[in-house]
C-alpha cells in the first residue's frame, strides 16, 4: 500500500468521531419517541455504544498528536445540517434512520478505512461493527408494517430521502477536504473504481431496505 | 437483618432503573447545551454510564421474576414531573443538576439499599458509585464562578430549588408505596432514625454545594 497522507487519516478519524457524537445525540433524542420503556432503553443503549466509539476515536487522534476538537470541527456544519434536515417525526422514522442511515454511513466509512494502514483501519472497522442493535430496528419496523401495511410506503419514501440527504452532505464534505478526496481517488485507483465503490454502497442500502420490508 | 419484603426490593430496583433511564435522557439533552465539543462529549459519557447501570438493574429485576417495565411504571409520573420542573436552561444549571441533584438522589438510594440483603445491596451501591464524572462538573462550575462571581448566587438558588423539588417528589412516591415506606421505617428503627437519615443526606448536600463554591 502506498503511503497515506496523515492529514487524511486525521480527517477520517475526525469526521467519524463527530459522527459518533451526533449519532449519540440523535439516538438519545429519538429514544424519547419510543412507545414503550423497553424500546426507549434499547435506543438509549445504541446511543451509549456510539459514545464509547467516540471516545476510542478521540483517544487515537490524541495519540497521533491531533486535537480531537480541531479534527472534528471541519465536519460539524455538514453533519449538523444532515441531522437537522432528517429529524425523525415518529418512532418508526427514527428506527429507519438508525438502521438505514447509520448503515449507509458505516459502509461509506468502511470503504475509505480499507485504504488506511493499521492500526487505524482496524480501529475504524471495529467501531463500525454492528453491535446487534440493528436487529432491534428490523424487528420493530417489520412488526409495525405487519400491523399497518400503509406505513411501508411512507417509510420507503423516508429511506430514499435519507440517502439523498446523505449523498448531498458527503459530497459537500469531500469537496472541501482535499486529502480525503485524494485518499478516495488513490485508494479506488481511478474513476471507475469510485463508481464501483458507489455501486457496492448502493447495493448494500437496497438490501437493508428490503430487510426492513421496504421498497428501495 | 430481619427479612425484607420482596416487593420493597422490586420497588427500589424499579425506581432506580427508571431513574437511570431518565438521567440518561436528561444528561443527553443537557449535553447539547455544552459550549465546547469536549464538554458535550463529557456529558454524553456520563449519560452512557447511566444506561449501563439501567441495564444491570433491569437484568436483576428479570432474575427476580419481575418485569422491568412493570417495576418502573409506578415511578414514571413522579420522576418525569421532577425533571420537567427542573429542566436546566443553561449549561451550568445542567452541571449543577448532574452533580447536586444526582448526588442527593444517590445518597438517598444508598441509605435505603443499606437495609437490603446482598446481592441487591451490593448491586445498588455499585451502580451508584461515582464514576469520576463529578470532578468534571465541579471543575467547570468553579471555573465559571471564578470568571463571573455573580453566577454563584443564581446557581445557589438553583441548587436549593433542586432539593426542594426532589423532596416533594420523593415524599409523593413513598406515600404511595407501602412496602418501600415500611422498609425505611423498619431499617432506620424508628422516627428518630428517619430523622438522622434525613440529616445525613442534608449534610452531604451542603458539602456538595460548598465543593461547587455555592452557598448551600
Amino acid at each position: 500500500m502506498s503511503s497515506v497522507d496523515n492529514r487524511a487519516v486525521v480527517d477520517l478519524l475526525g469526521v467519524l468521531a463527530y459522527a459518533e457524537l451526533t449519532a449519540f445525540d440523535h439516538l438519545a433524542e429519538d429514544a424519547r419517541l419510543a412507545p414503550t420503556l423497553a424500546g426507549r432503553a434499547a435506543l438509549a443503549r445504541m446511543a451509549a455504544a456510539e459514545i464509547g466509539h467516540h471516545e476510542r476515536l478521540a483517544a487515537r487522534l490524541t495519540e497521533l498528536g491531533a486535537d480531537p476538537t480541531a479534527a472534528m470541527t471541519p465536519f460539524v456544519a455538514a453533519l449538523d445540517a444532515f441531522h437537522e434536515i432528517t429529524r425523525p417525526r415518529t418512532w418508526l422514522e427514527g428506527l429507519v434512520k438508525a438502521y438505514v442511515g447509520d448503515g449507509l454511513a458505516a459502509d461509506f466509512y468502511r470503504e475509505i478505512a480499507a485504504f488506511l494502514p493499521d492500526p487505524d483501519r482496524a480501529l475504524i472497522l471495529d467501531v463500525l461493527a454492528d453491535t446487534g442493535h440493528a436487529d432491534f430496528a428490523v424487528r420493530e419496523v417489520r412488526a409495525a408494517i405487519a400491523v399497518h401495511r400503509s406505513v411501508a410506503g411512507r417509510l420507503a419514501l423516508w429511506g430514499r430521502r435519507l440517502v439523498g440527504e446523505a449523498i448531498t452532505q458527503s459530497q459537500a464534505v469531500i469537496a472541501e477536504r482535499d486529502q480525503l478526496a485524494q485518499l478516495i481517488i488513490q485508494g479506488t485507483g481511478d474513476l471507475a473504481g469510485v463508481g464501483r465503490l458507489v455501486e457496492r454502497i448502493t447495493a448494500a442500502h437496497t438490501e437493508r431496505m428490503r430487510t426492513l420490508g421496504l421498497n428501495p
Side-chain angles (χ1 to χ4, degrees), chain A residues 26-134:
Chain A
H26 296 281
L27 285 170
E29 203 177 330
D30 298 347
R32 259 165 275 153
L33 298 168
T36 62
L37 288 177
R40 193 167 136 193
L43 227 62
R45 270 197 300 277
M46 292 190 213
E50 310 280 9
I51 204 67
H53 298 159
H54 166 83
E55 279 185 78
R56 292 179 59 193
L57 294 161
R60 174 62 181 156
L61 280 164
T62 305
E63 202 175 272
L64 288 171
D67 172 49
T69 296
M72 289 189 280
T73 300
F75 308 103
V76 168
L79 284 169
D80 283 0
F82 172 74
H83 283 294
E84 191 50 50
I85 217 163
T86 61
R87 190 180 291 276
R89 290 156 307 172
T90 66
W91 168 238
L92 291 175
E93 284 189 358
L95 289 179
V96 170
K97 184 172 168 181
Y99 179 63
V100 166
D102 292 4
L104 187 82
D107 281 344
F108 178 65
Y109 294 129
R110 250 191 293 265
E111 290 276 356
I112 308 181
F115 309 141
L116 300 186
D118 277 329
D120 296 299
R121 174 169 46 184
L123 169 64
I124 292 175
L125 294 180
D126 200 36
V127 302
L128 292 174
D130 178 32
T131 41
H133 295 311

Side-chain angles (χ1 to χ4, degrees), chain A residues 49 133 182 212:
Chain A
H133 295 311
Q182 196 56 39
L212 286 178

Side-chain angles (χ1 to χ4, degrees), chain A residues 3-16:
Chain A
S3 82
V4 168
D5 189 320
N6 193 48
R7 289 169 299 179
V9 177
V10 169
D11 266 358
L12 191 57
L13 293 170
V15 66
L16 255 174

